[in-house]
Amino acid sequence: MDKLTDASNNLITTATTATDTTAASPSGVTEKPTSRRQFLKGGLLATGGVAASTIGAPAVLGQSPLVLRMQTSWPSGDIWMDFAQQYVDRVQSMSGGRLQIDLLPAGAVVQAFQVMDAVSDGVLDCAHTVAAYWYGKHRAASLFGTGPVFGWDGQSFLSWFYQGGGQELYQELTQDMLGLNVYGLYAFPMPAQPFGWFKEPVTTVEELQGFKYRTVGLATNVMQALGMSVTQLPGGEIVPAMERGVIDAFEFNNPSSDLRFGAQDVAKHYILSSYHQASETFEILFNRDVMDDLDEDLRAILRHAVEAVSTANTASAMHNYSSDLQRLQEEHGVTLHRTSDEILQAQLEAWTDVIEELEQDDFNRRVLDSQREWAQRVGFYNIMNGVDQALAYEHFFPGRLKL
């Protein structure tokens, strides 16, 4: 049994059921849907207890599919809704239609930053989000996706989560420390995020002073150290904020999302390559009671569909991100830049200061120690074994890399 399956099974089989309550959640939502345990038991009673026990397993096949409600943190038109749909499609196909997911965009039930509370409270059955969006509960949330670089990328971070102790630390944070009634699994090692969109190119730290900038998680601390005033906003609010002058520069994540929500209409300089968020992944959340109520084969499908969709998301991202970056240049007159070495070095120095402050908290320090141990070993292998792709690219496509 691989470590992902073993760790996930351990999370599921040892969990306790939360006490039924209709008290208001931290998100202010008081709606409490019927639990899946009640649903499943009620379904059996409705078909007739005697008949069900007499007929046995085939009677279950005649039941209606179990429908889970999943909300994302993404606007309806964002490419990440497509990525979430890839997960939904795999779950439904792998379960033979026994398990279906009603996929909803941000705001359909709760706001983008409130999905963690909604899943924990049972208002949603599951969610598709990123850990930085519940950073306000504990700063360590940002260490699970938008933390220090340490010479690693999204693939190395995702491997740390499943093989380096990250999943156990995540469980300790969400369940033991914060008392959240959730399971969380990670998928899709994202490429490093662009520095972002600017009305004029910037190459020095001095030029950044006073910028009103959008980012999330611990990247806010990094950018503040570079002299910018930082606002945390969900993706759907970025362009309106730019139009109103609430911000004058921003990043979200990738060329496809940026193109779809109209970044090119409010800025024309797109600066790629940055250390502020270089190792993020999706966080797929499940209410613990809902997951525990399911048959083991359906729980396994929900878990392993996360692994499957990670590959599908990666392939889709490589196709769409590269195509849309080209469209931004050729169809919308966007000028591409790479973040200057001066700004990159300043980001690393800012991370050093952020880490020093974070380590005053014992849990933060243990997470960072675990990540450093992993990154030192795995990063060494990746860097020493990896080849200079820019050299090969320039050989076969000469002149293309000159910006």
Side-chain angles (χ1 to χ4, degrees):
M1 181 179 293
D2 61 70
K3 192 164 184 178
L4 165 60
T5 304
D6 185 59
S8 299
N9 280 333
N10 184 57
L11 288 179
I12 291 167
T13 57
T14 60
T16 57
T17 303
T19 302
D20 188 18
T21 177
T22 56
S25 72
S27 63
V29 179
T30 56
E31 178 184 357
K32 180 73 174 181
T34 302
S35 76
R36 288 300 184 255
R37 181 172 289 112
Q38 291 172 326
F39 176 90
L40 293 175
K41 289 181 178 177
L44 289 174
L45 289 173
T47 59
V50 175
S53 63
T54 302
I55 297 174
V60 177
L61 298 178
Q63 294 178 7
S64 299
L66 179 61
V67 180
L68 303 181
R69 185 163 58 166
M70 169 184 273
Q71 186 190 297
T72 76
S73 291
W74 327 124
S76 58
D78 191 85
I79 191 170
W80 283 0
M81 283 295 291
D82 300 343
F83 290 177
Q85 185 65 50
Q86 289 181 327
Y87 177 73
V88 169
D89 293 343
R90 279 155 181 75
V91 167
Q92 294 178 176
S93 177
M94 292 163 72
S95 68
R98 293 167 59 206
L99 191 59
Q100 297 185 7
I101 298 178
D102 182 16
L103 184 65
L104 304 169
V109 180
V110 297
Q111 296 305 307
F113 287 179
Q114 296 176 323
V115 294
M116 171 61 88
D117 283 334
V119 172
S120 181
D121 295 341
V123 174
L124 295 170
D125 300 315
C126 39
H128 190 278
T129 187
V130 290
Y133 277 17
W134 52 276
Y135 167 76
K137 291 184 176 298
H138 195 291
R139 295 177 74 192
S142 190
L143 296 177
F144 292 90
T146 53
V149 183
F150 292 138
W152 64 353
D153 57 9
Q155 185 64 62
S156 298
F157 167 80
L158 188 62
S159 300
W160 166 78
F161 185 80
Y162 288 120
Q163 292 288 325
Q167 190 170 27
E168 293 78 9
L169 288 164
Y170 176 90
Q171 178 185 353
E172 180 180 348
L173 173 62
T174 55
Q175 296 184 13
D176 301 339
M177 294 172 58
L178 298 178
L180 295 167
N181 192 41
V182 300
Y183 298 124
L185 296 173
Y186 277 32
F188 177 41
M190 299 180 188
Q193 297 181 26
F195 188 37
W197 292 84
F198 294 78
K199 294 180 179 179
E200 298 294 337
V202 293
T203 58
T204 69
V205 174
E206 183 178 0
E207 291 174 312
L208 299 177
Q209 304 309 298
F211 266 94
K212 294 176 291 185
Y213 182 85
R214 179 273 177 194
T215 190
V216 294
L218 288 170
T220 60
N221 301 84
V222 172
M223 296 309 189
Q224 285 170 348
L226 269 59
M228 293 192 281
S229 174
V230 181
T231 300
Q232 300 194 58
L233 296 170
E237 299 179 18
I238 293 174
V239 167
M242 190 82 164
E243 291 172 334
R244 297 194 311 269
V246 176
I247 56 175
D248 47 33
F250 63 91
E251 62 82 35
F252 177 67
N253 183 275
N254 64 83
S256 296
S257 293
D258 293 349
L259 174 65
R260 291 193 187 193
F261 66 56
Q264 68 279 2
D265 297 329
V266 292
K268 291 297 184 183
H269 293 274
Y270 196 21
I271 306 179
L272 306 177
S273 175
S274 180
Y275 286 134
H276 74 287
Q277 288 180 297
S279 57
E280 193 169 17
T281 67
F282 286 140
E283 177 185 50
I284 301 180
L285 297 170
F286 305 93
N287 178 274
R288 290 172 67 185
D289 298 336
V290 168
M291 183 76 93
D292 290 345
D293 283 338
L294 296 175
D295 292 339
E296 172 54 30
D297 65 327
L298 295 182
R299 294 202 299 268
I301 286 169
L302 288 177
R303 290 194 306 271
H304 294 305
V306 172
E307 298 173 337
V309 82
S310 195
T311 298
N313 286 172
T314 299
S316 182
M318 292 301 97
H319 169 60
N320 285 283
Y321 291 4
S322 60
S323 297
D324 288 335
L325 183 65
Q326 188 170 344
R327 287 184 60 198
L328 286 168
Q329 288 180 277
E330 296 177 356
E331 299 176 20
H332 299 280
V334 171
T335 301
L336 302 184
H337 310 266
R338 284 179 60 85
T339 305
S340 69
D341 289 345
E342 177 182 329
I343 293 175
L344 289 174
Q345 185 60 43
Q347 289 178 348
L348 293 176
E349 292 169 359
W351 269 122
T352 299
D353 293 338
V354 170
I355 291 168
E356 183 178 350
E357 194 274 329
L358 284 171
E359 288 183 320
Q360 296 177 21
D361 176 88
D362 177 69
F363 180 77
N364 291 342
R365 179 185 53 76
R366 288 192 290 116
V367 175
L368 289 163
D369 283 346
S370 177
Q371 292 181 339
R372 275 187 293 246
E373 179 183 0
W374 182 265
Q376 184 176 26
R377 173 165 56 88
V378 175
F380 179 83
Y381 165 74
N382 286 336
I383 293 169
M384 291 298 293
N385 187 63
V387 296
D388 186 348
Q389 298 293 355
L391 181 64
Y393 188 93
E394 181 63 25
H395 176 81
F396 290 103
F397 311 105
R400 282 281 299 158
L401 291 178
K402 296 178 181 179
L403 299 178

